[in-house]
Amino acid sequence: MNKLKTIIGAAVITLSLNSFAGDCPALSGQFTIGKGENADFSSIADAANALKCGGVTGPVKFLLEDGTYNERMVLSSIAGSSAFNTVTFESKSGNNADVIISYASADATVVLNGTSFVNFENLTIDHKNSTYGSSMRVDGKASNLSFKSVVFDGVEVTRAGSNSATVLFTASAAKSDVSFTDCEINNGSVGISKGGNTADAMDTKTSISGTLFFNQYESGLALTNEDAPVITNNVVSTLSTYSSFKAMNLDNVANNVVISNNIINAANGSYGVAMNNCAGKTTNLGQINNNSIAVGGKGETYGLYLTGNSDNQVLNFNRVKLTINGNQSATQAYYKNTGSGNNINMVNNIFYDLNTGGYTILGNTYKDVFNQLPSQSNPTLSVSANGIMIEKVTPIK
């Protein structure tokens, strides 16, 4: 008799004390999912149904045996879950290549609807053989979702629009405390598309670190209506020829956003980091620091692109390289439009254009000056201003 049968048998006597609204025992402890003789659940769906029916009374961990699970995973709100009573799905081997959850017949392989306090570790969630949709979609109000060393494989066909994002957070309600750590996000229109709902509240406490975004068509990462997300130590790499590709696209992201130590390589892309209406506060500046950005393409190309009311930002120690295929008359390593754009602080950035040679920014302070100077791609530029020096560099041809 496996562990699940034992629990159910014991629950016959104590059901009223240990269960929630369903006719099932509440879960607590460690369980195994798989086809092995001692597995507690033969499928992910069985485990999800047990959670739906009985909820939890303590921390729960599901260890998945090696193999491919050709099924759709759907979770909703889990009764009894909390910061202590978390639910974790993890490969038993600890290797994300050993457990694959794969589904291609619906709009998402994993659906979380109003789900909180759930962790995924060392798994692969696969949707690449579908023609549309997402590896994972998160609907409704959700919080405390953690993804560690998870591979998300999105659709391989060329798709536009957030509905084919590899990981999609819908704007149906606010979401908070969401983290991606050391993950791999492949294909799709967008790697992670996360849009907060301002009618409810901005999304808060989003953290994305150590994650690879590979081969997206429109954007590696797209965040909208977020409060102070932290985006660090990630890599965005693509060969997409989409004319408006944005490696990191932030819209209406407020307060102390941190974008640091990221590597962007979009040889045919148009934008490295694009920020629209991203306003920090004078006491809580946004931080765009230590990023390495290489972008190209045949049209207009921008490394750091600030538009709208993107006020109160610090741009320090960034390295921006524009590739040789760009439209020379339009490309700029740094661009700020005619929106408010107040209190932009720039220190020790290196901007380099392979078409013209580009320029190196040196010095200790640089505040609201760069947008007043001639175009970065102007090969005759040789200007000193406000304690900084802009040097022309011999082009590499």
Side-chain angles (χ1 to χ4, degrees), residues 243 245-247 264 266 269-274 293-297 299-307 320-322 326-327 329-336 375-376:
S243 60
F245 179 86
K246 295 179 174 68
I264 292 172
S270 298
Y271 302 83
V273 176
I293 301 170
V295 289
E300 297 182 1
T301 303
Y302 304 95
L304 295 163
Y305 185 85
L306 277 64
T307 58
V320 178
K321 180 173 71 174
L322 306 180
N327 181 348
S329 64
T331 57
Q332 293 187 85
Y334 166 76
Y335 172 85
K336 186 184 78 64
S375 169
Q376 182 271 337

Short mmCIF file of all heavy atoms in Angstrom, two decimals, residues 243 245-247 264 266 269-274 293-297 299-307 320-322 326-327 329-336 375-376:
data_model
loop_
_atom_site.label_atom_id
_atom_site.label_comp_id
_atom_site.label_asym_id
_atom_site.label_seq_id
_atom_site.Cartn_x
_atom_site.Cartn_y
_atom_site.Cartn_z
N SER A 243 11.87 44.04 -36.54
CA SER A 243 12.39 45.40 -36.65
C SER A 243 12.29 46.20 -35.36
O SER A 243 13.01 47.18 -35.19
CB SER A 243 11.65 46.15 -37.76
OG SER A 243 10.26 46.21 -37.49
N PHE A 245 12.54 44.69 -32.19
CA PHE A 245 12.93 43.81 -31.09
C PHE A 245 13.49 44.62 -29.93
O PHE A 245 14.34 45.49 -30.12
CB PHE A 245 13.99 42.80 -31.55
CG PHE A 245 14.44 41.88 -30.44
CD1 PHE A 245 13.73 40.73 -30.16
CD2 PHE A 245 15.55 42.19 -29.66
CE1 PHE A 245 14.12 39.88 -29.13
CE2 PHE A 245 15.95 41.35 -28.63
CZ PHE A 245 15.23 40.20 -28.36
N LYS A 246 13.00 44.34 -28.72
CA LYS A 246 13.49 44.99 -27.51
C LYS A 246 13.96 43.90 -26.55
O LYS A 246 13.16 43.10 -26.09
CB LYS A 246 12.39 45.83 -26.86
CG LYS A 246 11.92 47.01 -27.70
CD LYS A 246 10.81 47.77 -26.99
CE LYS A 246 10.44 49.05 -27.75
NZ LYS A 246 9.80 48.78 -29.03
N ALA A 247 15.24 43.87 -26.27
CA ALA A 247 15.77 42.83 -25.38
C ALA A 247 15.11 42.92 -24.01
O ALA A 247 14.65 41.91 -23.46
CB ALA A 247 17.28 42.96 -25.27
N ILE A 264 23.34 41.61 -23.04
CA ILE A 264 22.37 41.60 -24.13
C ILE A 264 23.13 41.48 -25.45
O ILE A 264 24.04 42.26 -25.72
CB ILE A 264 21.52 42.88 -24.12
CG1 ILE A 264 20.60 42.89 -22.89
CG2 ILE A 264 20.70 43.01 -25.41
CD1 ILE A 264 19.86 44.19 -22.69
N ALA A 266 21.94 41.15 -29.31
CA ALA A 266 20.88 41.11 -30.31
C ALA A 266 21.44 41.69 -31.60
O ALA A 266 21.23 42.86 -31.93
CB ALA A 266 19.66 41.88 -29.84
N GLY A 269 18.76 42.98 -33.68
CA GLY A 269 17.71 43.64 -32.94
C GLY A 269 17.81 45.15 -33.02
O GLY A 269 18.76 45.69 -33.58
N SER A 270 16.86 45.83 -32.41
CA SER A 270 16.80 47.28 -32.52
C SER A 270 17.04 48.00 -31.20
O SER A 270 17.57 49.10 -31.19
CB SER A 270 15.43 47.71 -33.06
OG SER A 270 15.24 47.19 -34.36
N TYR A 271 16.64 47.40 -30.08
CA TYR A 271 16.74 48.07 -28.79
C TYR A 271 17.37 47.14 -27.76
O TYR A 271 17.02 45.96 -27.69
CB TYR A 271 15.36 48.48 -28.27
CG TYR A 271 14.58 49.39 -29.19
CD1 TYR A 271 13.85 48.89 -30.25
CD2 TYR A 271 14.57 50.77 -28.96
CE1 TYR A 271 13.12 49.72 -31.09
CE2 TYR A 271 13.84 51.62 -29.79
CZ TYR A 271 13.12 51.09 -30.85
OH TYR A 271 12.41 51.93 -31.67
N GLY A 272 18.27 47.68 -26.96
CA GLY A 272 18.83 46.93 -25.85
C GLY A 272 17.89 46.99 -24.66
O GLY A 272 17.12 46.08 -24.40
N VAL A 273 17.96 48.09 -23.90
CA VAL A 273 17.04 48.33 -22.79
C VAL A 273 16.16 49.51 -23.17
O VAL A 273 16.66 50.62 -23.40
CB VAL A 273 17.80 48.64 -21.48
CG1 VAL A 273 16.81 48.99 -20.37
CG2 VAL A 273 18.66 47.45 -21.07
N ALA A 274 14.85 49.28 -23.26
CA ALA A 274 13.88 50.32 -23.63
C ALA A 274 13.00 50.61 -22.43
O ALA A 274 12.37 49.71 -21.88
CB ALA A 274 13.05 49.88 -24.83
N ILE A 293 25.76 45.66 -23.53
CA ILE A 293 24.69 45.64 -24.53
C ILE A 293 25.29 45.73 -25.92
O ILE A 293 26.05 46.66 -26.23
CB ILE A 293 23.72 46.82 -24.31
CG1 ILE A 293 23.11 46.76 -22.90
CG2 ILE A 293 22.63 46.84 -25.37
CD1 ILE A 293 22.34 47.99 -22.51
N ALA A 294 24.96 44.75 -26.78
CA ALA A 294 25.36 44.78 -28.18
C ALA A 294 24.12 44.61 -29.03
O ALA A 294 23.43 43.58 -28.94
CB ALA A 294 26.37 43.68 -28.48
N VAL A 295 23.77 45.62 -29.83
CA VAL A 295 22.58 45.56 -30.68
C VAL A 295 22.94 46.02 -32.08
O VAL A 295 23.89 46.76 -32.29
CB VAL A 295 21.42 46.41 -30.12
CG1 VAL A 295 20.84 45.79 -28.86
CG2 VAL A 295 21.89 47.84 -29.82
N GLY A 296 22.14 45.54 -33.05
CA GLY A 296 22.42 45.90 -34.44
C GLY A 296 21.15 46.02 -35.23
O GLY A 296 20.22 46.69 -34.84
N GLY A 297 21.10 45.35 -36.38
CA GLY A 297 19.94 45.46 -37.24
C GLY A 297 20.18 46.42 -38.39
O GLY A 297 21.17 47.15 -38.42
N GLY A 299 17.87 48.79 -39.35
CA GLY A 299 17.15 50.04 -39.17
C GLY A 299 17.72 50.84 -38.02
O GLY A 299 18.90 50.74 -37.70
N GLU A 300 16.87 51.64 -37.38
CA GLU A 300 17.30 52.42 -36.23
C GLU A 300 17.68 51.48 -35.09
O GLU A 300 16.99 50.52 -34.81
CB GLU A 300 16.19 53.37 -35.80
CG GLU A 300 15.83 54.40 -36.86
CD GLU A 300 14.74 55.35 -36.39
OE1 GLU A 300 14.30 55.20 -35.23
OE2 GLU A 300 14.34 56.23 -37.17
N THR A 301 18.76 51.80 -34.44
CA THR A 301 19.28 50.94 -33.39
C THR A 301 19.65 51.78 -32.17
O THR A 301 20.30 52.81 -32.31
CB THR A 301 20.54 50.18 -33.88
OG1 THR A 301 20.20 49.44 -35.05
CG2 THR A 301 21.05 49.24 -32.82
N TYR A 302 19.22 51.32 -31.00
CA TYR A 302 19.47 52.05 -29.76
C TYR A 302 19.93 51.09 -28.68
O TYR A 302 19.36 50.01 -28.51
CB TYR A 302 18.20 52.77 -29.28
CG TYR A 302 17.60 53.70 -30.30
CD1 TYR A 302 16.58 53.27 -31.14
CD2 TYR A 302 18.07 55.00 -30.43
CE1 TYR A 302 16.03 54.12 -32.08
CE2 TYR A 302 17.52 55.87 -31.37
CZ TYR A 302 16.50 55.42 -32.20
OH TYR A 302 15.97 56.26 -33.13
N GLY A 303 20.93 51.48 -27.93
CA GLY A 303 21.39 50.66 -26.82
C GLY A 303 20.54 50.87 -25.58
O GLY A 303 19.87 49.96 -25.09
N LEU A 304 20.54 52.10 -25.04
CA LEU A 304 19.71 52.49 -23.91
C LEU A 304 18.73 53.53 -24.41
O LEU A 304 19.12 54.59 -24.90
CB LEU A 304 20.57 53.08 -22.79
CG LEU A 304 21.57 52.11 -22.14
CD1 LEU A 304 22.63 52.87 -21.36
CD2 LEU A 304 20.83 51.14 -21.23
N TYR A 305 17.44 53.24 -24.30
CA TYR A 305 16.40 54.05 -24.95
C TYR A 305 15.39 54.47 -23.90
O TYR A 305 14.64 53.65 -23.37
CB TYR A 305 15.75 53.22 -26.05
CG TYR A 305 14.74 53.94 -26.91
CD1 TYR A 305 15.14 54.69 -28.02
CD2 TYR A 305 13.38 53.85 -26.64
CE1 TYR A 305 14.22 55.32 -28.83
CE2 TYR A 305 12.45 54.48 -27.45
CZ TYR A 305 12.87 55.22 -28.54
OH TYR A 305 11.95 55.85 -29.36
N LEU A 306 15.37 55.77 -23.55
CA LEU A 306 14.45 56.29 -22.55
C LEU A 306 13.45 57.22 -23.20
O LEU A 306 13.83 58.17 -23.90
CB LEU A 306 15.21 57.03 -21.45
CG LEU A 306 15.83 56.20 -20.32
CD1 LEU A 306 16.91 55.26 -20.84
CD2 LEU A 306 16.39 57.11 -19.24
N THR A 307 12.16 56.94 -22.99
CA THR A 307 11.12 57.79 -23.55
C THR A 307 10.09 58.13 -22.48
O THR A 307 10.05 57.53 -21.41
CB THR A 307 10.41 57.10 -24.73
OG1 THR A 307 9.85 55.85 -24.29
CG2 THR A 307 11.36 56.85 -25.87
N VAL A 320 27.92 49.84 -24.16
CA VAL A 320 26.98 49.70 -25.27
C VAL A 320 27.74 49.68 -26.58
O VAL A 320 28.50 50.61 -26.88
CB VAL A 320 25.94 50.84 -25.27
CG1 VAL A 320 25.00 50.69 -26.46
CG2 VAL A 320 25.16 50.86 -23.97
N LYS A 321 27.52 48.64 -27.38
CA LYS A 321 28.17 48.55 -28.70
C LYS A 321 27.09 48.41 -29.75
O LYS A 321 26.23 47.53 -29.69
CB LYS A 321 29.11 47.34 -28.75
CG LYS A 321 29.82 47.18 -30.10
CD LYS A 321 30.86 46.08 -30.07
CE LYS A 321 30.21 44.71 -30.00
NZ LYS A 321 31.22 43.63 -30.12
N LEU A 322 27.13 49.29 -30.74
CA LEU A 322 26.21 49.23 -31.88
C LEU A 322 26.94 48.56 -33.04
O LEU A 322 28.04 48.97 -33.39
CB LEU A 322 25.75 50.63 -32.28
CG LEU A 322 25.15 51.48 -31.16
CD1 LEU A 322 24.74 52.84 -31.69
CD2 LEU A 322 23.97 50.77 -30.54
N GLY A 326 23.83 48.78 -38.54
CA GLY A 326 22.82 49.76 -38.19
C GLY A 326 22.70 50.89 -39.20
O GLY A 326 23.61 51.16 -39.99
N ASN A 327 21.58 51.60 -39.15
CA ASN A 327 21.36 52.78 -39.96
C ASN A 327 22.16 53.92 -39.33
O ASN A 327 21.80 54.45 -38.29
CB ASN A 327 19.86 53.10 -39.98
CG ASN A 327 19.56 54.33 -40.82
OD1 ASN A 327 20.45 55.07 -41.21
ND2 ASN A 327 18.29 54.54 -41.09
N SER A 329 22.62 57.04 -39.69
CA SER A 329 22.05 58.34 -39.39
C SER A 329 21.11 58.30 -38.20
O SER A 329 20.75 59.34 -37.66
CB SER A 329 21.28 58.87 -40.61
OG SER A 329 20.19 58.02 -40.90
N ALA A 330 20.71 57.11 -37.78
CA ALA A 330 19.71 57.01 -36.72
C ALA A 330 20.21 56.35 -35.45
O ALA A 330 19.65 56.56 -34.39
CB ALA A 330 18.49 56.25 -37.24
N THR A 331 21.25 55.55 -35.53
CA THR A 331 21.65 54.76 -34.36
C THR A 331 22.21 55.64 -33.25
O THR A 331 22.91 56.61 -33.50
CB THR A 331 22.71 53.72 -34.74
OG1 THR A 331 23.83 54.40 -35.33
CG2 THR A 331 22.16 52.71 -35.72
N GLN A 332 21.87 55.27 -32.02
CA GLN A 332 22.41 55.96 -30.86
C GLN A 332 22.60 54.96 -29.72
O GLN A 332 21.72 54.15 -29.46
CB GLN A 332 21.49 57.08 -30.39
CG GLN A 332 21.36 58.23 -31.38
CD GLN A 332 20.58 59.39 -30.81
OE1 GLN A 332 21.14 60.24 -30.13
NE2 GLN A 332 19.30 59.40 -31.07
N ALA A 333 23.73 55.03 -29.07
CA ALA A 333 23.96 54.17 -27.92
C ALA A 333 23.04 54.57 -26.77
O ALA A 333 22.54 53.73 -26.04
CB ALA A 333 25.41 54.25 -27.48
N TYR A 334 22.80 55.87 -26.62
CA TYR A 334 21.89 56.37 -25.60
C TYR A 334 20.92 57.34 -26.26
O TYR A 334 21.32 58.20 -27.04
CB TYR A 334 22.65 57.08 -24.48
CG TYR A 334 21.76 57.89 -23.57
CD1 TYR A 334 20.95 57.26 -22.63
CD2 TYR A 334 21.69 59.27 -23.67
CE1 TYR A 334 20.12 57.99 -21.80
CE2 TYR A 334 20.86 60.02 -22.85
CZ TYR A 334 20.08 59.38 -21.91
OH TYR A 334 19.24 60.11 -21.12
N TYR A 335 19.65 57.20 -25.93
CA TYR A 335 18.65 58.09 -26.51
C TYR A 335 17.66 58.49 -25.45
O TYR A 335 17.16 57.65 -24.70
CB TYR A 335 17.91 57.40 -27.65
CG TYR A 335 16.72 58.20 -28.18
CD1 TYR A 335 16.91 59.18 -29.15
CD2 TYR A 335 15.43 57.97 -27.71
CE1 TYR A 335 15.84 59.92 -29.64
CE2 TYR A 335 14.35 58.71 -28.19
CZ TYR A 335 14.57 59.68 -29.15
OH TYR A 335 13.50 60.41 -29.62
N LYS A 336 17.36 59.78 -25.38
CA LYS A 336 16.28 60.26 -24.53
C LYS A 336 15.42 61.19 -25.37
O LYS A 336 15.92 62.12 -26.00
CB LYS A 336 16.82 61.03 -23.31
CG LYS A 336 15.73 61.43 -22.34
CD LYS A 336 16.28 62.27 -21.21
CE LYS A 336 16.52 63.70 -21.64
NZ LYS A 336 15.27 64.40 -22.01
N SER A 375 24.11 64.22 -32.03
CA SER A 375 23.87 62.78 -32.08
C SER A 375 25.13 61.99 -31.78
O SER A 375 26.21 62.33 -32.24
CB SER A 375 23.34 62.39 -33.46
OG SER A 375 23.33 60.99 -33.61
N GLN A 376 24.97 60.92 -31.00
CA GLN A 376 26.13 60.08 -30.67
C GLN A 376 26.83 59.56 -31.90
O GLN A 376 28.03 59.33 -31.89
CB GLN A 376 25.67 58.92 -29.78
CG GLN A 376 26.78 58.00 -29.31
CD GLN A 376 27.03 56.87 -30.27
OE1 GLN A 376 26.15 56.52 -31.06
NE2 GLN A 376 28.21 56.32 -30.25
#
